[in-house]
């Protein structure tokens, strides 16, 4: 059997700021190369999770192999690796980039360069990818292609005068892009006869085949029956099938060899054995060293997830386990809350990741969840020299045992037009940001760099940023490290009982403000009872804010007319149903949504 | 011969001069030809129902008839006479039957009332709501207090003894004093029966648009509905303290005047309790006729369609459906399925009640009556001890002083009445 000619392979990805048209361009490339007819194309083939389509973001890397007959008369294999488009998934992005040889940079002809454009293009350049720009959305009335071309050259230093001017939406200019892929993306140049060395850039759990490993072969070859080893995790297994990617399909082939992108199945039961970034080699004839860049993924954000109906605990456990088969970055362990009963403390890459998991649990597994306020991992240094990584505020040791605490800090880059600089700097100030630098990208736009505590940006920072810049600011961050901070645990007492699920860690200076808002919000959420209910916020046993839910005085049925009992019964049923969605804390019933509404303390 | 079962008949007349701003009942103004067509359809339904499904004449004796609406008193005397004749022809109506019609002041004349009386109506329920003209205007009522007094005296002249007056508290702009004045004016007339309700802001009413944001008692915006003449904006609902004061005043003033409260919102002189209304609470069978009317027959709850055109079209076709297909002798033989209700095409929400559902209703309907429910009665009806089903609930509610348990009888306490929804919801299984 003849080996695939590497000079006819192009492995590439598309990088862009969110909404600049990455997925639409991907769709057009697939369509124009004839993999699918237009009728078969479902809008945005690559984003195939409902949540991805609805939110217009790519969560999981997708890969498509397609064949293009170029103007030189030759056929080229294109492997398009679509990368996730969110800061939560930066590591996955970096591994997908490592699987490519080049990248297409898509820039919106109206908006120009944005924060993620820069972050992603630098990431691509860091991985030694050859990058060529494409100017998209030239059909927009506000498009200024030449300005954007100049901006790309000035800001990024990338040759852009011959960048294809396209409208992915209308299909204009796509041929130009395809020809440039052939001309500007370098072919792979691995050694097919060297020991196997393949990069895992994603994996997928399939209940029939086990884990399907997505990989890029750097050197060597692999086929059915090969014994392979994952160099970081040490897992060894025998290959059952190898193949390449169609659009949403797996197409088996005889062999994968150097330069190819494809998949391997080997009856692997758990995605944990196939960590993204790990190197696959031949068990008997291993390569000398693994590919660089592998790291273990750590959760950045934690929260408690509880079934709304406590009888669904086992269902939640099964669902989390199933999701974890596909998502090695999801962590969970059982925990118990006095308020919420049995549930799980779950770790996520970021808040988006958290929301996605939450939505998938609710949609795909039909679970009603109660989620506690997300928090970051704090480092608590105890007086006895011990350090604990705190993921659940309830586990904070007694203040007398604490020497000091540290919180995670991120390097944040915010790109904003000059008119909003003041508003954004003020926002960063309020969120305890440390100003690092401000650089003019062009006359009207600046790049602000800040160091911000992660716990100040995990919930509503992005929304606040958008609202204070009328949507113009863009934002990107990565973890810098841990720094000492004056942190306290804020407790909420309802009818004098501490509700563990509502406790959270907060900076000393914002405790009062947050406590006051929490109490106000809870007052709105907790229905009147037959007795008065005090709601208090306390730090270290000292009450710092208080609200009261007045006792219910009246709840009588309206006129019961014409014997319409059914309707009256429905009212009572609604009342009873409402009760079911409540959590009993002492003798107070708290609606499930109260636990979550406190996450959204209004920006004012 | 075995004694016949009691039956109540409810007749719905869905027409009004104009819809009140708080009203979410099935009613609206209508043209003469729709009204005529409706009455014809209603008579067809009466005839058809009585000939079908159940041997009404053989098994049931009609103890109460109630014309509700809408404003049934918009109907001429001949119409009501026709309807009652149609009922008497098909059903066994007891000589002592309580026959009520709802009346709105401003829609009847002495002559009409005479005809009603002659047709056999023996009880009037007059929708007054308030003795304060400003409040009446705010509610969107079509009459003032003077017109009510006129109607009331005409009714007395026509020989009606048994009269109910509907009153409402918590009306926008109402004060404790103005409500007190209403109560005093009405007790001075000494009607036999007074229904006193709190205004409830129901969805899908103009009041909901105006006041749904205002339920927290702050003042309100007009929400695009023009404020009433003489007001620059809609007055707010009485605050909670005033509302509670009105509520408790209702009881004290009415009891002072010799009325006894026999149901959460109903007061009467002894012996003048509304038997039709009580039959809803104590599980008596009742047949609802007319658009949207609800029925409870042989353990099955169902409703007529609430779409008037669907209703009329279906009734007009009834002549073509063979009658007498489904006679059955007594409840034991009643078909489990509800086929006999389906074929006419205007019944919906047909729900045979399970034993649990009947137990629930026994409790949450029975407890609306001030006399409460009897544990023995429960046992007799369900062959199960009430303790086995509701022991914990009764204990909990008694501990919370919402229920009073005096051996055989369980009833709501005053506090329990105030929050009766919370209490009654506990009895859903």
């Amino acid at each position: 059997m003849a080996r695939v000619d590497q000079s006819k392979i192009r492995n590439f990805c598309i990088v862009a700021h969110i909404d600049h048209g990455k997925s639409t361009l991907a769709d057009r490339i697939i369509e124009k190369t004839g993999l699918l007819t237009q009728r078969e194309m479902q809008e945005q083939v690559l984003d195939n999770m409902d949540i991805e389509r609805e939110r217009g973001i790519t969560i999981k890397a997708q890969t498509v192999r397609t064949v293009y007959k170029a103007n030189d008369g030759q056929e080229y294999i294109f492997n398009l690796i679509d990368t996730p488009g969110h800061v939560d998934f930066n590591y996955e992005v970096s591994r997908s980039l490592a699987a490519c040889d080049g990248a297409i940079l898509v820039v919106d002809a109206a908006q120009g360069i944005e924060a993620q454009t820069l972050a992603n293009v630098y990431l691509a350049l860091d991985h030694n990818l050859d990058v060529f720009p494409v100017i998209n959305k030239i059909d927009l009335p506000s498009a200024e292609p030449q300005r954007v071309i100049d901006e790309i050259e000035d800001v990024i230093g990338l040759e852009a005068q011959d960048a294809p001017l396209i409208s992915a939406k209308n299909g204009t200019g796509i041929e130009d892009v395809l020809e440039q892929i052939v001309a500007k993306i370098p072919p792979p140049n691995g050694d097919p006869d060297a020991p196997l060395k393949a990069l895992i850039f994603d994996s997928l759990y399939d209940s029939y085949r086990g884990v399907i490993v997505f990989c890029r072969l750097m050197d060597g070859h692999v086929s059915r029956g090969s014994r392979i080893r994952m160099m970081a995790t040490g897992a060894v297994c025998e290959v059952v099938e190898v193949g390449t990617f169609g659009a949403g399909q797996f197409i088996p082939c005889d062999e994968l060899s150097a330069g190819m992108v494809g998949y391997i199945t080997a009856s692997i039961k758990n995605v944990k054995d196939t960590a993204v970034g790990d190197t696959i080699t031949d068990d008997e004839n291993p390569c000398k060293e693994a590919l660089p860049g592998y790291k273990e993924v750590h959760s950045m954000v934690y929260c408690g997830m509880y079934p709304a109906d406590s009888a669904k605990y086992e269902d939640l456990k099964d669902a989390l386990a199933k999701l974890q088969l596909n998502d090695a970055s999801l962590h969970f362990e059982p925990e118990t809350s006095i308020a919420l009963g049995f549930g799980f403390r779950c770790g996520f890459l970021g808040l988006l990741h958290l929301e996605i998991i939450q939505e998938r649990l609710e949609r795909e597994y039909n679970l009603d969840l109660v989620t506690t306020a997300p928090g970051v991992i704090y480092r608590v240094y105890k007086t006895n020299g011990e350090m604990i990584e705190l993921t659940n505020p309830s586990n904070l040791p007694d203040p007398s045992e604490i020497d000091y605490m540290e919180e995670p800090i991120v390097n944040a880059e915010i790109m904003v037009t000059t008119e909003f600089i003041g508003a954004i700097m003020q926002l960063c100030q309020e969120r305890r940001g440390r100003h690092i630098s401000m650089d003019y990208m062009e006359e009207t736009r600046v790049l602000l760099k800040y160091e911000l505590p992660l716990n100040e940006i995990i919930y509503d920072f992005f929304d606040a940023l958008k609202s204070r810049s009328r949507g113009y600011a863009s934002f990107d961050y990565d973890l810098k490290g841990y720094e000492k901070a004056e942190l306290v645990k804020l407790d909420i007492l309802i009818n004098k009982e501490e509700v563990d699920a509502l406790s959270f860690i907060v900076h000393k200076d914002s405790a009062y403000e947050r406590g006051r808002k929490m109490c106000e919000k809870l007052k709105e959420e907790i229905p009147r009872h037959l007795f008065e209910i005090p709601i208090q916020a306390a730090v270290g046993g000292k009450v710092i804010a208080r609200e009261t839910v007045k006792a219910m005085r009246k709840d009588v049925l309206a006129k019961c007319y014409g014997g319409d009992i059914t309707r009256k019964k429905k009212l009572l049923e609604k009342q009873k149903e409402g009760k079911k969605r409540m959590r009993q804390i002492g003798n107070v019933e708290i609606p499930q949504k109260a636990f979550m509404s406190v996450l959204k303390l209004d920006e004012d | 011969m075995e004694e016949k079962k009691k039956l109540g008949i409810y007749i719905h007349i869905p027409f009004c001069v104009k819809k009140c701003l708080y009203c979410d009942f099935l009613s609206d103004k209508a043209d003469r030809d729709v009204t005529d067509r409706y009455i014809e359809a209603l008579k067809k339904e009466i005839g058809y129902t009585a000939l079908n499904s159940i041997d009404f004449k053989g098994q049931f004796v009609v103890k109460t008839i109630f014309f509700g609406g809408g404003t049934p008193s918009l109907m001429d005397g001949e119409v009501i006479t026709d309807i009652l004749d149609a009922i008497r022809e098909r059903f066994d109506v007891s000589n002592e039957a309580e026959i009520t019609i709802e009346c709105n002041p401003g829609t009847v004349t002495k002559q009409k009332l005479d005809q009603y009386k002659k047709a056999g109506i023996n009880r009037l329920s007059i929708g007054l709501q308030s003795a304060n003209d400003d409040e009446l205007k705010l509610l969107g009522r079509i009459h003032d207090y003077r017109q009510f007094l006129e109607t009331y005296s005409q009714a007395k002249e026509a020989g009606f003894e048994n009269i109910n007056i509907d009153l409402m508290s918590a009306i926008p702009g109402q004060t404790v004093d103005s409500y007190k004045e209403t109560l005093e004016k009405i007790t001075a007339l000494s009607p036999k029966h007074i229904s006193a309700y709190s205004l409830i802001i129901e969805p899908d009413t103009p009041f909901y648009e105006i006041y749904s944001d205002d339920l927290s008692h702050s003042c309100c915006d007009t929400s695009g509905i023009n404020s009433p003449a003489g007001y620059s904006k809609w007055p707010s609902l009485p605050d909670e303290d005033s509302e509670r004061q009105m509520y408790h005043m209702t009881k004290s003033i009415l009891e002072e005047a010799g009325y006894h409260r026999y149901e959460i919102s109903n007061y009467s002189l002894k012996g003048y309790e509304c038997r039709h209304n009580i039959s809803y609470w104590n599980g008596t069978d009742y047949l609802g006729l007319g658009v949207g009317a609800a029925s409870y027959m042989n353990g099955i709850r169902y409703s007529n369609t609430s779409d008037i055109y669907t209703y009329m079209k279906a009734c007009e076709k009834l002549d073509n459906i063979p009658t007498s297909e489904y006679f059955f002798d007594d409840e034991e033989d009643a078909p489990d399925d509800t086929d006999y209700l389906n074929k006419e095409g205007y019944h919906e929400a047909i729900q045979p009640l399970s034993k649990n559902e009947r137990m629930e209703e026994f409790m949450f309907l029975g407890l609306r009556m001030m006399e409460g429910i009897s544990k023995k009665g429960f046992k007799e009806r369900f062959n199960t001890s009430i303790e086995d089903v509701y022991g914990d609930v009764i204990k909990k509610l008694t501990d919370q002083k919402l229920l009073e348990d005096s051996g055989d009888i369980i009833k709501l306490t005053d506090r329990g009445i105030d929050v009766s929804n919370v209490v009654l919801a506990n009895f859903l299984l």
Side-chain angles (χ1 to χ4, degrees):
Chain A
M1 190 202 70
R3 284 251 152 86
V4 175
D5 175 3
Q6 287 189 68
S7 71
K8 297 291 186 309
I9 298 178
R10 296 293 181 274
N11 297 321
F12 63 97
C13 57
I14 307 175
V15 294
H17 185 72
I18 187 165
D19 282 344
H20 280 195
K22 186 177 83 161
S23 299
T24 319
L25 175 60
D27 289 350
R28 288 293 163 266
I29 292 172
I30 294 164
E31 189 186 299
K32 292 272 175 182
T33 52
L35 187 68
L36 295 169
T37 65
Q38 199 154 7
R39 210 169 57 78
E40 287 166 327
M41 285 282 303
Q42 200 180 358
E43 188 110 340
Q44 302 200 347
V45 170
L46 295 179
D47 290 346
N48 61 13
M49 273 194 268
D50 284 350
I51 303 169
E52 291 181 316
R53 285 218 188 87
E54 280 167 30
R55 296 191 176 213
I57 48 169
T58 306
I59 297 164
K60 216 163 160 52
Q62 298 285 333
T63 303
V64 164
R65 177 185 191 267
T66 173
V67 177
Y68 173 61
K69 188 158 187 202
N71 292 345
D72 63 9
Q74 303 283 321
E75 284 193 343
Y76 292 86
I77 294 168
F78 286 180
N79 287 306
L80 166 57
I81 300 172
D82 193 21
T83 57
H86 191 275
V87 57
D88 279 6
F89 305 104
N90 270 348
Y91 176 68
E92 279 78 355
V93 174
S94 85
R95 293 307 83 202
S96 295
L97 293 176
C100 299
D101 302 299
I104 304 173
L105 170 68
V106 180
V107 185
D108 183 306
Q111 292 185 336
I113 293 172
E114 296 283 355
Q116 284 174 4
T117 314
L118 280 186
N120 289 332
V121 83
Y122 289 140
L123 204 56
L125 294 170
D126 285 350
H127 286 84
N128 292 321
L129 301 190
D130 287 12
V131 180
F132 75 87
V134 165
I135 315 297
N136 190 20
K137 306 199 189 180
I138 54 158
D139 55 312
L140 291 180
S142 55
E144 293 179 81
Q146 193 52 49
R147 180 184 69 80
V148 174
I149 286 169
D150 293 344
E151 192 182 41
I152 293 170
E153 295 196 330
D154 290 351
V155 177
I156 308 174
L158 214 54
E159 164 65 37
Q161 292 307 326
D162 64 344
L165 303 180
I166 69 162
S167 162
K169 195 176 96 200
N170 300 342
T172 335
I174 305 300
E175 286 79 3
D176 199 6
V177 178
L178 297 174
E179 284 301 314
Q180 290 210 6
I181 292 170
V182 174
K184 295 194 168 173
I185 307 281
N189 60 353
D191 177 357
D193 299 314
L196 175 64
K197 190 189 244 185
L199 171 70
I200 302 179
F201 61 88
D202 199 3
S203 58
L204 178 80
Y205 181 80
D206 178 284
S207 47
Y208 298 102
R209 292 189 275 190
V211 179
I212 301 172
V213 184
F214 293 26
C215 59
R216 154 77 194 266
L217 274 76
M218 299 302 177
D219 289 317
H221 58 271
V222 62
S223 55
R224 184 192 167 87
S226 309
R227 280 186 72 77
I228 53 169
R229 183 161 86 213
M230 316 296 162
M231 295 180 78
T233 66
V236 175
C237 44
E238 193 179 301
V239 174
V240 174
E241 184 180 300
V242 298
T244 57
F245 304 101
Q249 298 154 292
F250 296 103
I251 300 162
C253 64
D254 295 329
E255 181 194 77
L256 293 176
S257 61
M260 289 176 80
V261 171
Y263 70 90
I264 296 173
T265 68
S267 304
I268 307 162
K269 288 284 167 271
N270 197 318
V271 280
K272 285 204 164 135
D273 291 331
T274 59
V276 168
D278 200 353
T279 305
I280 305 173
T281 192
D282 191 293
D283 189 38
E284 276 135 45
N285 179 22
C287 58
K288 281 204 187 68
E289 51 191 31
L291 292 158
Y294 172 77
K295 63 178 185 188
E296 267 185 61
V297 194
H298 295 287
S299 301
M300 300 265 271
V301 174
Y302 275 83
C303 76
M305 284 191 166
Y306 293 81
D309 173 0
S310 53
K312 297 272 169 100
Y313 173 81
E314 285 296 325
D315 295 2
L316 175 58
K317 188 175 158 190
D318 289 350
L320 282 168
K322 276 189 190 132
L323 288 179
Q324 198 180 46
L325 285 176
N326 249 328
D327 184 350
S329 51
L330 168 67
H331 293 275
F332 66 95
E333 55 186 65
E335 73 171 3
T336 321
S337 151
I338 302 161
L340 299 174
F342 292 100
F344 298 91
R345 175 95 345 206
C346 304
F348 306 93
L349 296 172
L351 200 67
L352 177 76
H353 187 214
L354 183 160
E355 285 175 20
I356 290 161
I357 296 294
Q358 190 182 338
E359 277 189 47
R360 293 190 65 188
L361 288 168
E362 288 177 349
R363 285 188 204 189
E364 294 168 30
Y365 296 91
N366 247 330
L367 290 164
D368 254 340
L369 297 177
V370 181
T371 314
T372 65
V376 301
I377 305 167
Y378 297 97
R379 289 183 180 160
V380 183
Y381 292 86
K382 295 170 69 171
T383 43
N384 65 6
E386 199 188 329
M387 188 274 276
I388 51 174
E389 294 206 321
L390 186 75
T391 57
N392 181 346
S394 304
N395 299 338
L396 187 72
D398 189 87
S400 63
E401 294 173 31
I402 300 173
D403 184 6
Y404 65 96
M405 284 171 73
E406 286 183 348
E407 64 176 339
I409 303 291
V410 300
N411 288 314
E413 296 192 349
I414 301 165
M415 197 171 284
V416 66
T417 47
T418 43
E419 57 187 312
F420 300 111
I421 295 175
I424 298 307
M425 289 179 81
Q426 198 194 338
L427 173 67
C428 293
Q429 198 75 30
E430 287 162 18
R431 301 302 176 99
R432 300 190 281 128
R434 191 184 302 138
H435 179 75
I436 302 298
S437 65
M438 177 167 84
D439 297 305
Y440 277 81
M441 306 311 294
E442 53 184 312
E443 231 168 85
T444 55
R445 279 203 315 166
V446 296
L447 179 66
L448 288 168
K449 290 191 179 169
Y450 269 88
E451 286 174 6
L452 283 158
L454 182 62
N455 80 347
E456 295 284 347
I457 59 172
I458 53 171
Y459 358 108
D460 59 349
F461 183 77
F462 195 66
D463 292 341
L465 194 70
K466 285 283 173 192
S467 78
R468 293 203 194 178
S469 65
R470 292 204 212 110
Y472 282 112
S474 58
F475 170 61
D476 201 23
Y477 67 83
D478 61 36
L479 189 66
K480 174 176 179 267
Y482 274 77
E483 285 183 16
K484 212 163 166 173
E486 295 268 4
L487 300 162
V488 293
K489 181 164 108 152
L490 184 70
D491 294 316
I492 298 294
L493 290 82
I494 293 180
N495 207 16
K496 310 269 164 71
E497 282 200 47
E498 188 180 315
V499 183
D500 58 355
L502 290 171
S503 295
F504 59 95
I505 306 282
V506 62
H507 191 265
K508 186 170 69 78
D509 295 344
S510 1
Y512 169 72
E513 191 60 18
R514 290 288 295 278
R516 192 178 55 78
K517 283 188 178 174
M518 282 280 279
C519 290
E520 282 171 7
K521 192 83 185 176
L522 285 166
K523 185 190 171 184
E524 286 169 29
E525 295 291 339
I526 297 175
R528 284 176 156 204
H529 281 53
L530 298 172
F531 45 87
E532 185 176 287
I533 304 165
I535 301 170
Q536 296 161 305
V539 171
K542 187 169 161 258
V543 173
I544 57 169
R546 176 187 162 124
E547 292 282 344
T548 306
V549 178
K550 286 207 277 179
M552 180 203 295
R553 300 175 66 183
K554 179 191 121 180
D555 190 1
V556 189
L557 281 177
K559 190 164 184 171
C560 188
Y561 205 73
D564 191 355
I565 304 300
T566 314
R567 189 170 145 197
K568 299 302 161 193
K569 184 170 167 189
K570 273 187 191 140
L571 275 173
L572 294 179
E573 266 164 358
K574 222 167 118 192
Q575 183 139 15
K576 193 182 169 194
E577 228 11 73
K579 253 185 188 241
K580 262 200 210 153
R581 286 193 299 269
M582 305 263 195
R583 288 290 172 162
Q584 184 95 24
I585 310 286
N587 49 0
V588 179
E589 277 152 351
I590 304 177
Q592 315 267 25
K593 72 181 185 25
F595 291 95
M596 285 172 290
S597 68
V598 297
L599 314 186
K600 307 227 152 96
L601 299 175
D602 302 337
E603 243 287 291
D604 38 26
Chain B
M1 198 191 93
E2 208 182 319
E3 212 179 311
K4 286 190 193 173
K5 285 169 75 180
K6 294 176 188 170
L7 181 70
I9 292 182
Y10 174 80
I11 307 283
H12 191 69
I13 306 293
F15 307 116
C16 281
V17 176
K18 158 176 170 285
K19 202 163 168 77
C20 300
L21 298 172
Y22 57 88
C23 176
D24 74 331
F25 296 143
L26 186 58
S27 65
D28 217 333
K29 55 183 176 194
D31 299 335
R32 182 74 208 207
D33 41 335
V34 178
T35 314
D36 291 347
R37 189 179 161 196
Y38 179 77
I39 296 299
E40 285 313 305
L42 179 61
K43 285 194 272 190
K44 283 218 165 84
E45 192 199 358
I46 293 169
Y48 178 81
T49 304
L51 288 180
N52 253 289
S53 350
I54 296 168
D55 177 12
F56 279 103
K57 265 198 162 159
Q59 285 178 42
F60 290 96
V61 55
V62 177
K63 290 286 196 183
T64 63
I65 300 176
F66 195 101
F67 287 87
T71 307
S73 59
L74 279 178
M75 298 298 108
D76 291 337
E78 294 81 18
V79 172
I80 299 299
T81 308
D82 275 5
I83 294 173
L84 282 174
D85 285 350
I87 292 174
R88 286 209 182 83
E89 190 181 318
R90 306 292 194 187
F91 295 85
D92 175 12
V93 180
S94 156
N95 288 332
E96 306 91 60
E98 171 196 279
I99 306 180
T100 309
I101 188 165
E102 292 188 319
C103 274
N104 260 355
T107 61
V108 287
T109 57
K110 168 76 175 36
Q111 188 204 357
K112 199 191 256 184
L113 288 166
D114 285 337
Q115 285 173 302
Y116 285 175
K117 181 82 181 140
K118 207 170 145 219
I121 303 271
N122 52 27
R123 185 175 182 272
L124 292 184
S125 175
I126 306 180
L128 170 62
Q129 318 311 347
S130 168
N132 179 305
D133 286 345
D134 290 338
E135 288 165 18
L136 290 173
K137 206 183 290 170
L138 275 169
L139 290 172
R141 302 289 296 178
I142 56 163
H143 57 85
D144 57 20
Y145 184 56
R146 191 190 51 75
Q147 282 171 295
F148 159 77
L149 286 176
E150 206 171 301
T151 300
Y152 189 74
S153 66
Q154 285 170 347
K156 297 290 255 192
E157 276 171 51
F160 285 103
E161 275 304 310
N162 192 355
I163 298 177
N164 165 59
I165 297 175
D166 273 350
L167 296 180
M168 205 180 260
S169 59
I171 299 170
Q174 193 175 40
T175 63
V176 173
D177 286 342
S178 75
Y179 182 60
K180 191 170 177 221
E181 211 178 303
T182 293
L183 286 174
E184 282 165 352
K185 281 182 178 168
I186 297 313
T187 47
L189 296 173
S190 55
K192 298 288 189 272
H193 190 286
I194 295 172
S195 291
Y197 298 96
S198 289
L199 170 68
I200 307 252
I201 307 291
E202 300 282 359
D204 301 320
T205 62
F207 266 14
Y208 192 78
E209 308 246 316
I210 302 165
Y211 289 113
S212 60
D213 295 337
D214 187 43
L215 295 174
S216 50
H217 312 297
S218 54
C219 199
C220 40
D221 210 4
T222 53
S223 314
I225 296 173
N226 290 334
S227 47
Y231 291 88
S232 58
K233 59 181 177 183
W234 288 92
S236 24
L237 296 169
D239 63 32
E240 191 178 36
D241 286 340
S242 315
E243 197 278 330
R244 282 292 86 187
Q245 224 180 316
M246 292 182 203
Y247 181 83
H248 292 296
M249 203 167 67
T250 310
K251 191 180 171 214
S252 58
I253 291 183
L254 293 184
E255 285 184 351
E256 180 88 355
Y259 293 86
H260 81 113
R261 182 191 219 175
Y262 67 92
E263 194 258 359
I264 290 181
S265 329
N266 285 300
Y267 295 80
S268 80
L269 299 179
K270 271 271 179 271
Y272 288 96
E273 298 80 14
C274 175
R275 278 149 53 197
H276 185 81
N277 210 333
I278 292 173
S279 70
Y280 293 149
W281 314 133
N282 67 11
T284 309
D285 289 280
Y286 56 89
L287 192 58
L289 301 166
V291 66
S295 298
Y296 179 56
M297 287 301 306
N298 290 332
I300 300 169
R301 290 205 178 280
Y302 60 91
S303 289
N304 285 357
T305 173
S306 50
D307 182 276
I308 190 166
Y309 293 98
T310 309
Y311 171 78
M312 293 190 296
K313 273 185 213 147
C315 288
E316 282 152 10
K317 283 189 208 139
L318 285 177
D319 293 341
N320 307 326
I321 302 179
T323 53
S324 303
E325 256 180 39
Y326 279 97
F327 272 133
F328 38 82
D329 289 335
D330 58 292
E331 198 172 344
E332 302 308 308
D333 292 340
D336 291 335
D337 63 77
T338 51
D339 280 358
Y340 74 95
L341 289 171
N342 285 325
K343 60 181 176 150
E344 293 96 344
Y346 59 91
H347 291 132
E348 53 190 35
I350 301 163
Q351 194 198 5
L353 297 186
S354 64
K355 183 179 176 190
N356 273 3
E357 285 167 323
R358 284 188 289 126
M359 290 193 289
E360 290 172 355
E361 290 195 354
F362 183 89
M363 299 306 290
F364 77 74
L365 296 176
L367 283 171
R368 287 189 64 106
M369 302 291 293
M370 296 301 105
E371 64 180 38
I373 58 108
S374 147
K375 292 183 186 173
K376 231 190 297 166
F378 187 95
K379 171 99 191 180
E380 275 164 22
R381 178 144 350 167
F382 301 111
N383 205 18
T384 310
S385 144
I386 196 168
E387 311 292 347
D388 291 349
V389 188
Y390 290 118
D392 294 347
V393 174
I394 292 169
K395 165 115 185 32
K396 183 181 89 180
L397 295 171
T398 314
D399 287 349
Q400 293 179 336
K401 304 218 172 354
L402 299 169
L403 277 190
E404 193 185 306
D405 182 349
S406 52
D408 182 43
I409 299 295
I410 300 171
K411 57 185 182 186
L412 294 174
T413 60
D414 282 353
R415 175 71 175 138
I417 296 169
D418 287 357
V419 293
S420 56
N421 280 357
V422 180
V423 180
L424 299 179
N426 279 284
F427 289 97
L428 296 184
L429 293 167

